[in-house]
Amino acid sequence: MNDLTLLDQSQRKKSETLYFQLAEELAQAIHAGLLRAGEKLPSIRKLSSERHLSLSTIMEAYRELEDRGLVEARPQSGFYVRAIRHLASPELTKPPKRPSHVVIDPLLTPSVLARINALKVDFGLAILSPKLFPNQQIQRILSQVTRNDPDMIADYGEPLGDIQLRRQIARRSLTWGGQIEADDVLITHGAIEGLNLCLRAVTKPGDVVAIESPAYFGLLQILESFKLKALEIPTHPKTGISIEALELASRNGAVTACVLLPNYSNPCGSLMPDENKKKLVELLEQRNIPLIEDDIYGEFCYQGDRPRPAKAYDQTGNVMLIASFTKLLAPAFRIGWVFGGRWQKQIEQLKFINTYSTSLVLQRTIAHFLESGGYDHHLRRLRKHCAEQVNDAVDAIQRFFPADTRLHVPQGGYVLWLELNEKVDTLQLLQQALTEGISFTPGVMFSPSQSYRNCLRICCGEPWTVKHEKAIERLGQMAQAYINQAV
């Protein structure tokens, strides 16, 4: 039995106790505003009498709330609801106005950082806990697929991908208004290969690519490897890139392509409004600038329907859409796809040259899972867990980080973007945190101009536990210490 299983069982046993159930009820009342900041909780004896619970059960429930930072004990008086700070959100970023060559320090890659110490808590990598995926169901389908057709193991598969899977992907595009046929879908080795193929189809070394600022460091590494220049566009953590700034930056014809994550971007978590998506598509079409849209987080909405990608507003094939099951379903399978628009044939040829095909066995396994109807149930569960984990992290950051910290609370995804006091260098903060087994991703990794030195990204991919709470508290203490030393 592994540590995660033991932890899960411990958390489950705890949730079944009477004191924990009472604490959950009171916590919900506090978050809903039914119990307001400064308001006194019922006395232990009174609540014990009303609920027919022991005094020790009530006391344990209050201590649980105290550990969460929701209430505080006042000597000779009782327990009171604490005032929870709501940190201000970051504002529109102001990156350099000129394009720059991308040079990413190899010492800053997460794989290197993760090996520096045996981590106790990893907020650095944007990956989800294995327990959030339907691993046993996928394993059973995989066994069934190979048992029914053992020769499939020796089959390279078609370069375009398995037709069953491509049909399922095309069918699911109807949920966001897509007009996609199976022949419009190209299966790739995850979203990363899709991004590589799309960039190769429309750029050459020395070209300028417009990107969000901050932008995903994996994209920056690809731009660096292709010897492309990056033009950082001002971005708001809530609504994404400034369409006005992009319009100005692309007037002189210098921008060759644009790569964006309109839905729950990484690292900001921004969600571009539909009106802006429509303007974006129209602007780039008018200027003959292809848009490469990464929709890898589009399904991670917390409430309501998943947001439409910009591709939904594309009438001419100017938008290439990239997505993947890596974050959503089976990370080890590395199954992604591309809708290539009017560059579909070029992308297909590059795929043929690059990797020829993608594992047929793994594609067919995912196709069967989609056909079974279990995928939507899994998505609802996954979204629920991500929303809870992000909310828990937000609550802890609001309680433990310095009061002048800026934090954007996203509507989807599972990463948080924090802007600290300018006196804090988060790369130095990371070096100190690693000595205590805690990691996060420093802001400089998300900018080719080495901006955002006082920012950081927190990944909320694991079920929240006391150790995560304590790690956030410790990071907040370290950040405050840096501010105090600089005064």
Side-chain angles (χ1 to χ4, degrees):
M1 189 175 295
N2 60 36
D3 292 343
L4 284 173
T5 303
L6 291 172
L7 179 60
D8 191 42
Q9 290 179 351
S10 174
Q11 292 293 106
R12 190 157 53 247
K13 288 179 180 178
K14 181 179 179 181
S15 67
E16 293 170 353
T17 60
L18 292 174
Y19 87 85
F20 189 84
Q21 293 171 9
L22 176 59
E24 283 288 291
E25 179 184 337
L26 293 172
Q28 291 177 11
I30 292 171
H31 288 304
L34 300 177
L35 291 172
R36 300 181 180 277
E39 186 174 342
K40 183 179 180 180
L41 297 183
S43 71
I44 293 175
R45 291 189 180 278
K46 180 181 179 182
L47 200 55
S48 172
S49 175
E50 290 177 350
R51 297 297 187 98
H52 304 290
L53 297 171
S54 68
L55 294 174
S56 61
T57 297
I58 305 300
M59 189 63 193
E60 283 297 314
Y62 282 8
R63 284 175 177 165
E64 173 72 20
L65 293 173
E66 191 174 22
D67 288 342
R68 298 186 194 184
L70 297 176
V71 304
E72 58 186 0
R74 298 180 185 177
Q76 310 301 318
S77 182
F79 287 86
Y80 291 78
V81 178
R82 288 185 61 182
I84 300 177
R85 295 177 304 163
H86 291 282
L87 300 175
S89 176
E91 299 177 351
L92 185 72
T93 60
K94 299 178 180 179
K97 295 181 180 181
R98 294 178 178 273
S100 59
H101 291 283
V102 184
V103 180
I104 301 298
D105 189 338
L107 295 178
L108 292 181
T109 60
S111 60
V112 174
L113 295 175
R115 291 197 298 268
I116 293 178
N117 277 299
L119 298 175
K120 298 175 184 176
V121 180
D122 182 10
F123 293 126
L125 296 180
I127 57 177
L128 293 171
S129 167
K131 66 178 65 176
L132 298 182
F133 298 103
N135 299 323
Q136 292 183 345
Q137 292 172 267
I138 295 294
Q139 189 276 328
R140 285 195 296 268
I141 295 174
L142 176 60
S143 298
Q144 180 184 359
V145 166
T146 53
R147 185 168 57 249
N148 292 345
D149 187 1
D151 290 344
M152 191 182 299
I153 296 174
D155 192 338
Y156 283 97
E158 294 294 326
L160 293 183
D162 178 46
I163 185 60
Q164 291 187 32
L165 179 58
R166 289 190 286 128
R167 284 172 179 160
Q168 288 295 319
I169 292 171
R171 186 174 294 121
R172 291 197 64 84
S173 73
L174 295 173
T175 62
W176 49 261
Q179 310 250 331
I180 305 297
E181 303 287 341
D183 288 344
D184 299 325
V185 182
L186 172 69
I187 303 300
T188 62
H189 289 288
I192 288 293
E193 186 187 31
L195 184 54
N196 274 270
L197 296 176
C198 290
L199 277 169
R200 288 173 62 188
V202 297
T203 65
K204 63 183 183 304
D207 284 347
V208 175
V209 178
I211 61 173
E212 293 153 325
S213 183
Y216 172 52
F217 56 79
L219 167 61
L220 300 182
Q221 290 172 318
I222 294 173
L223 296 179
E224 179 184 20
S225 69
F226 289 168
K227 295 181 171 54
L228 296 168
K229 296 178 182 178
L231 178 60
E232 299 178 77
I233 303 297
T235 302
H236 196 285
K238 183 177 180 180
T239 58
I241 68 159
S242 165
I243 304 298
E244 294 77 12
L246 179 61
E247 194 277 332
L248 287 171
S250 59
R251 280 184 179 180
N252 61 4
V255 175
T256 303
C258 187
V259 181
L260 299 176
L261 286 82
N263 294 331
Y264 315 127
S265 69
N266 179 5
C268 282
S270 59
L271 175 61
M272 185 180 289
D274 285 346
E275 181 182 354
N276 287 18
K277 292 173 184 172
K278 187 176 181 180
K279 291 179 180 178
L280 169 70
V281 171
E282 291 173 349
L283 170 66
L284 295 180
E285 168 58 27
Q286 291 168 5
R287 297 189 172 173
N288 197 30
I289 300 172
L291 170 60
I292 302 172
E293 179 181 16
D294 188 344
D295 195 46
I296 194 169
Y297 294 103
E299 293 284 3
F300 283 93
C301 52
Y302 298 157
Q303 294 181 336
D305 297 331
R306 63 104 75 214
R308 288 186 167 200
K311 179 69 176 176
Y313 303 96
D314 179 24
Q315 302 296 320
T316 63
N318 193 52
V319 180
M320 292 165 273
L321 181 70
I322 302 165
S324 171
F325 291 111
T326 301
K327 303 287 187 185
L328 291 166
L329 184 60
F333 283 21
R334 303 294 297 163
I335 302 295
W337 65 93
V338 172
F339 304 147
R342 61 174 179 245
W343 289 277
Q344 183 75 12
K345 293 303 179 183
Q346 293 97 310
I347 296 170
E348 289 175 2
Q349 181 64 24
L350 288 167
K351 166 68 178 180
F352 184 86
I353 297 169
N354 196 53
T355 54
Y356 181 75
S357 65
T358 304
S359 169
L360 177 59
V361 172
L362 303 184
Q363 290 183 69
R364 189 65 57 81
T365 299
I366 290 183
H368 284 195
F369 184 75
L370 296 180
E371 292 167 358
S372 73
Y375 187 54
D376 287 314
H377 172 75
H378 162 65
L379 283 183
R380 287 192 294 271
R381 177 178 175 270
L382 184 65
R383 291 163 177 164
K384 177 178 179 292
H385 280 290
C386 287
E388 291 173 349
Q389 290 161 198
V390 168
N391 286 338
D392 287 335
V394 168
D395 285 344
I397 291 167
Q398 288 176 336
R399 284 186 278 118
F400 297 125
F401 267 64
D404 59 354
T405 300
R406 289 181 174 269
L407 165 68
H408 171 57
V409 182
Q411 301 176 48
Y414 51 93
V415 296
L416 295 172
W417 181 250
L418 283 69
E419 180 183 318
L420 306 185
N421 187 294
E422 291 185 356
K423 298 182 177 70
V424 180
D425 185 325
T426 55
L427 190 55
Q428 293 181 10
L429 184 66
L430 174 64
Q431 292 169 350
Q432 180 181 353
L434 285 169
T435 65
E436 300 189 24
I438 305 169
S439 77
F440 58 83
T441 314
V444 292
M445 286 188 61
F446 301 96
S447 169
S449 60
Q450 301 293 297
S451 303
Y452 313 114
R453 298 196 71 85
N454 62 319
C455 298
L456 60 91
R457 186 193 71 180
I458 294 288
C459 173
C460 311
E462 296 183 354
W464 199 254
T465 65
V466 172
K467 72 174 184 178
H468 295 89
E469 187 97 352
K470 295 298 183 184
I472 289 293
E473 181 177 9
R474 186 69 188 111
L475 285 177
Q477 292 171 349
M478 294 178 191
Q480 187 62 61
Y482 268 97
I483 296 172
N484 295 341
Q485 291 171 4
V487 173

